[in-house]
Every structure is written in structure tokens, then in C-alpha cells.
Amino acid sequence: MRSSLQEYLKQLRLSGLAQSLEVRLSEAAGNRLDHAEFLELILQDELAVRGSRQVERRVRAASFRETRNLDEFDFSFNASIKRRQIEDLATCRFIREKADVLLLGPPGVGKSFLAQAIGHQAIKAGMLVLYRSIFDLARDFLGEEETPAQQDKILSKYLKPELLIIDDMGMKQLPRRSGEYLLEIIMRRHENRATMMTSNRPLEDWAKLIGDVPAATAILDRFLQHAIIIQITGKSYRLRNAKGDGKNDAKDEATAKPRGAGRKEPDGVPPAAGGEAVSPPKEAPDGA
């Protein structure tokens, strides 16, 4: 290939086309492609490279803890996880409909894996995604030196993505004022953007975890309005291959369920979207 042609491609930032041009020239000569067919092929090459690089950039920007793919998940391990339901989420229809998703279940059953895999699928579908644990969120907003302008910038970061994933709700009690920031995010995204959350604690515990009953009530009121609730029980996905001394631990976690799972809901409590009955958060004890 002529060096001048390589330079033109470089100036035009057509690196994908440059990588495949020599092969395409040989292919065009051997198959007697006309000009339009040849042009279509080299443009397809350029678009494929640009698309791949865009996915890579968006995966980095999403800040996943781990990059997961849904085809790596072993659905046969846990019958409580309905494959068809998860694959429906992976179509990203709920994101386009601006619905929310809540994955509930004990530690280790695969909630974070599935959330990140669905987020990765959304990126491949051309969407912007942000992944943060609830503790990342608290640190982002509660930095000691954050000015109002900086906090506005952080808030914009949480409001922009088509899908926001908030992981690990319920691992431990949150710092003071965390509920205020979580409430603002949920309120601002409500019916405008999709949000996915994971939690290993029942919803009635959220007031105590957040330390603010009114904020927890308002968060759940908005988040659950259009939420798809997926309850996962059973064995620990993380410990599925554990051997030796880990067998007893795996057995203990295999039978674990979130507190309140399977209990009869009190009269007058409406079921949330997805058919699960949800109790309002209880009043936090003094000093919680």
C-alpha cells in the first residue's frame, strides 16, 4: 500500500480501515468486486473497529468491579434464578422503558455477577452504564472537601447513564446523610432513567441501614413503583466449587435466606411490581 495513502488514513483517523485495507484490496482483485462493494467492505471494517473501541471505553467508564458476561453464568446451579427472566433483562427492554430492578438474596448467590453482566450487555447495546457500590456512592458524596459545585458534578455523573447499578445495599449501616444523597438520585432518576440495585437485606431493614426512616420510605416508594423484583435463594454461587474445609461454610450459606423471606405479609400491604409483597420500612430505634 502506498505510504501516502497510509498517511491520509492516519490524518482522517481511519485506523480500522487502515488495518484491513491491504487484505480488502487483494480480496477485491481476486473476487472482482465493483467499487461500491469494495467501499462497503472497508467502511464496515472501520465501523467494527470503532464499535469495539467504544465498548472498551464505556466498560472502563462504567467502573465495574469485574467485567462479567451472561454466557459465563451457570444457571443450572441455582433453580431459583429464572434464566428466561434474566435473559429478558439482558435485552435492555427495561432500560428503554425506564423501569427499575431489585435483586434480593443472601450473600454469594450471584446478584453482583448478574447485575454487572446485564450492565455489560447494556453497554454492548450502545448504552451508558455506571456501576457503584452503595459505599462508593457514600464516599463520592461525603468527601470532606467537596464543594457544592463538585457535588453537583458528582450528581450529574449519577444522573447521566441510561442504567445506574447500585450494588451491596445492606452489607452494613451507611454513614450519616447517605440516605439524603441516595434519595436525591432515586428521585431524579425516577421515570427518567433505569436503576438496578442489589441487596442482601429485606426491605423493612433499609430504614435502619440508612438511618433515616423518612428517606428510606421515600426511596422505596419511588424505586418500587415500576420495579422488577427478583428474589434469589439457595446455594452460594461464589462457593459452588469449594472443597475441603469450605464445605460446611458452603452448606450454611446454601440454606441461608434473607430475614423475612417466605413470611406472610400483613394485610393491606400491596405487592410491588413483579408480584412480591413488600412491607414498608419499620421505624428505626432511637440512636440507630
Side-chain angles (χ1 to χ4, degrees), residues 37-51:
E37 290 172 326
F38 174 70
L39 181 60
E40 183 177 0
L41 283 175
I42 61 175
L43 291 178
Q44 286 175 350
D45 292 339
E46 179 63 30
L47 288 172
V49 169
R50 291 191 180 195

Side-chain angles (χ1 to χ4, degrees), residues 25 43 183 204 264:
L25 285 168
L43 291 178
L183 174 59
E204 59 264 31
K264 184 177 180 181

Side-chain angles (χ1 to χ4, degrees), residues 238-251:
R238 192 178 296 122
L239 299 178
R240 67 194 184 284
N241 296 321
K243 296 180 180 179
D245 294 339
K247 286 184 178 179
N248 291 332
D249 292 338
K251 183 178 180 181

Side-chain angles (χ1 to χ4, degrees), residues 13-281:
R13 299 183 180 180
L14 298 173
S15 57
L17 195 156
Q19 291 172 18
S20 64
L21 186 56
E22 284 197 42
V23 173
R24 293 305 191 188
L25 285 168
S26 299
E27 184 179 347
N31 295 314
R32 297 182 178 179
L33 300 180
D34 62 34
H35 294 95
E37 290 172 326
F38 174 70
L39 181 60
E40 183 177 0
L41 283 175
I42 61 175
L43 291 178
Q44 286 175 350
D45 292 339
E46 179 63 30
L47 288 172
V49 169
R50 291 191 180 195
S52 177
R53 288 175 179 170
Q54 183 185 64
V55 168
E56 291 173 2
R57 287 194 301 271
R58 289 185 172 182
V59 167
R60 287 195 299 270
S63 301
F64 293 122
R65 187 182 302 162
E66 298 171 289
T67 302
R68 298 293 196 179
N69 290 292
L70 207 54
D71 57 8
E72 299 169 353
F73 191 81
D74 182 8
F75 285 95
S76 65
F77 181 76
N78 189 338
S80 77
I81 302 175
K82 297 178 177 61
R83 181 168 190 158
R84 183 174 296 180
Q85 188 176 32
I86 300 301
E87 289 179 341
D88 182 64
L89 294 177
T91 67
C92 303
R93 180 165 54 91
F94 80 97
I95 302 176
R96 291 186 287 272
E97 293 175 352
K98 302 176 177 60
D100 299 319
V101 176
L102 177 61
L103 301 174
L104 284 172
V109 292
K111 301 183 301 296
S112 296
F113 188 120
L114 291 172
Q116 291 177 99
I118 292 168
H120 192 201
Q121 192 64 34
I123 288 174
K124 290 192 284 186
M127 299 175 180
L128 293 175
V129 176
L130 177 64
Y131 169 91
R132 304 299 280 164
S133 77
I134 189 65
F135 306 109
D136 293 331
L137 185 152
R139 281 192 294 268
D140 286 345
F141 284 97
L142 297 175
E144 294 180 2
E145 299 179 0
E146 299 292 354
T147 65
Q150 289 172 319
Q151 290 197 344
D152 286 343
K153 185 176 180 181
I154 294 170
L155 180 61
S156 177
K157 173 184 174 182
Y158 278 82
L159 299 181
K160 183 178 179 180
E162 282 100 328
L163 175 62
L164 172 64
I165 301 172
I166 302 176
D167 202 2
D168 297 332
M169 184 68 183
M171 294 296 286
K172 61 181 180 180
Q173 193 164 0
L174 296 174
R176 280 188 62 192
R177 298 194 63 201
S178 300
E180 298 175 25
Y181 296 112
L182 180 57
L183 174 59
E184 183 164 8
I185 291 168
I186 296 300
M187 287 180 63
R188 299 277 290 273
R189 292 183 63 85
H190 181 60
E191 297 184 336
N192 292 307
R193 295 283 191 276
T195 302
M196 177 179 288
M197 296 183 72
T198 75
S199 178
N200 61 13
R201 299 285 289 276
L203 299 176
E204 59 264 31
D205 285 359
W206 281 30
K208 184 176 180 180
L209 293 167
I210 293 173
D212 185 332
V213 173
T217 302
I219 288 167
L220 291 174
D221 178 64
R222 286 163 178 79
F223 183 72
L224 296 178
Q225 183 179 358
H226 304 298
I228 301 163
I229 300 178
I230 298 176
Q231 179 78 57
I232 303 174
T233 58
K235 303 176 185 178
S236 169
Y237 186 84
R238 192 178 296 122
L239 299 178
R240 67 194 184 284
N241 296 321
K243 296 180 180 179
D245 294 339
K247 286 184 178 179
N248 291 332
D249 292 338
K251 183 178 180 181
D252 291 342
E253 190 164 1
T255 59
K257 290 185 179 181
R259 285 190 293 115
R263 73 191 188 294
K264 184 177 180 181
E265 296 296 338
D267 293 339
V269 177
E276 300 251 355
V278 177
S279 297

